Each structure stands twice: as C-alpha cells, then as structure tokens.
Amino acid sequence: MIQIEKSEVLSPLFALLEHLHISEEVRQRIADNIEVRQLKSNTVLLMPGKTCTHIHFIVSGGFVCRYFNENLETPKTINFYLDNLHPFMASVDSYFTQRPGHCELRAVRDSVVLSMSKKNLDVLLMSHPILRQFYDNLVIQALVEENELKLKIISHNAEQLYQYLLDELPAVVQRVPSKYIAEFMGISAEWLSKLKKRKK
C-alpha cells in the first residue's frame, strides 16, 4: 500500500469539524491524537473477546461488524461501516463499557481509517461542549440506525430484507462482499445469489 500523508487523510474529517465551527485549536488537538491506519481487505481491526479502546473514522474503504457467540463460533454480520455510510465506527458492545466484547471489526475492502483512543477523546469532549454535542448526536444516530437494522432483521423475510438493502442501503449491496450480506440476512450465499437474480 502506498504511504499517505496524514494531513491529506485528515481533510474529510476536518472539513466536517470546520463546518461545525470546531476551532482550529481543537482540530489541531484532534490531529495530534489521531493515528492513521492503512488496512488491507480482510484485516481484523478488533478481535472478539477484546476490548474496543478506540473509535475510528473511515476515510476510504469499508468494514463489517460481526457478532460471535460465547464459544467464538458462528459469526453473524450485524452492521456495515463504509466511507459513505456510517463512517464513524466502534464496537458498541465493548466501547462504552470498556469490557471485552463479542464483536469483530473486519475490513471488507482496502481501507484507510483515523483512530483515536477513548481515553484521549473523553478528555477532548470534557473540554469542548460543541464537540461533545456533535459526539452525542453521532452516538444517538448510530444507535437509532443499529436498532432499525435489528428491527428489519426480526420483522422481514429474506426477500423483504434484501429489498430494504437495495432501497435504503444500496452502498452495502454494491460494496460489501455477498458472503457478509448473506450472513447478515441469515441465509446461504446461494440463496442470496438467487434473490439477486430475481431482483434484476
């Protein structure tokens, strides 16, 4: 992978923060505490059984969040994170409690992410109310969207669920490998292939 400049990678996030009237001083403090990570497709950013100590902003690429049962068997995709869909990423079952979780964060494309530790972020949030408000809004939005996905999984059959992805989350269908979409839907890859053909 070609090495990229930190300032170049920070541009999308900083444009967003500037739009929110986050001061240059705060933006610089954020830059000082951010790590740029380049990850190949299929790299695991967080293993199940580990504590999620960082929040991530996806500059390019995409990830799936997969839940593992207690025996670390039978993974199930439960969420999608792409640069143009849910770009802020953490393992919710571990990040807020700071205890080991059951989720894996796996790259499904070559990706570039900005990572900041919860510890450093919490210090910034305590000192800057506008940043805190932005963060709280992000958390609420993420929880609402995650709940919406869970409700669709519970209430929709496979065909309805696939139609929901096509209508509401087309980036997932276009950019996430079928294996993880089938896993999310609770069906085989073969069944998903038949659904795709039927919808064409």
Side-chain angles (χ1 to χ4, degrees):
M1 232 179 232
I2 299 169
Q3 195 64 32
I4 50 180
E5 289 294 323
K6 186 174 183 179
S7 58
E8 178 188 336
V9 179
L10 286 172
S11 293
L13 177 61
F14 274 30
L16 176 61
L17 294 174
E18 191 172 359
H19 176 72
L20 294 165
H21 308 293
I22 304 296
S23 72
E24 187 176 346
E25 177 202 344
V26 176
R27 295 199 304 269
Q28 187 55 54
R29 285 189 65 190
I30 291 171
D32 293 341
N33 288 286
I34 275 181
E35 177 188 1
V36 178
R37 304 179 72 173
Q38 294 179 265
L39 303 164
K40 289 281 193 187
S41 181
N42 217 33
T43 300
V44 176
L45 185 59
L46 177 71
M47 295 285 290
K50 300 293 184 183
T51 301
C52 181
T53 58
H54 287 68
I55 192 165
H56 312 280
F57 177 77
I58 304 170
V59 177
S60 63
F63 292 76
V64 289
C65 179
R66 302 168 86 207
Y67 180 87
F68 284 72
N69 64 15
E70 286 73 12
N71 300 319
L72 299 182
E73 300 167 347
T74 324
K76 166 93 171 162
T77 297
I78 60 170
N79 213 339
F80 307 96
Y81 298 99
L82 301 167
D83 50 41
N84 61 347
L85 174 77
H86 312 149
F88 288 93
M89 172 178 69
S91 175
V92 175
D93 78 326
S94 172
Y95 181 80
F96 294 105
T97 63
Q98 285 300 282
R99 293 197 297 263
H102 290 87
C103 291
E104 167 191 87
L105 296 175
R106 179 180 293 267
V108 294
R109 307 176 73 83
D110 288 351
S111 301
V112 176
V113 299
L114 304 175
S115 302
M116 181 184 283
S117 73
K118 184 178 187 300
K119 181 181 175 183
N120 288 341
L121 179 59
D122 286 347
V123 170
L124 280 169
L125 294 177
M126 281 194 298
S127 309
H128 301 90
I130 295 174
L131 193 60
R132 178 87 219 184
Q133 185 179 3
F134 171 62
Y135 173 81
D136 288 345
N137 289 340
L138 274 179
V139 170
I140 291 167
Q141 181 182 344
L143 292 174
V144 167
E145 289 170 349
E146 191 167 311
N147 188 58
E148 174 105 356
L149 276 178
K150 286 177 184 172
L151 289 174
K152 294 295 185 278
I153 293 171
I154 292 166
S155 63
H156 285 26
N157 63 33
E159 190 160 354
Q160 291 170 327
L161 191 51
Y162 186 66
Q163 190 61 54
Y164 170 77
L165 292 178
L166 285 173
D167 293 342
E168 303 297 329
L169 305 172
V172 169
V173 177
Q174 295 159 7
R175 301 180 62 198
V176 174
S178 293
K179 168 187 175 179
Y180 301 108
I181 296 173
E183 203 175 85
F184 170 78
M185 294 173 64
I187 62 176
S188 68
E190 292 76 20
W191 190 1
L192 177 59
S193 181
K194 287 177 185 174
L195 270 178
K196 283 184 173 182
K197 286 174 185 172
R198 203 182 303 165
K199 294 292 181 183
K200 281 182 178 176

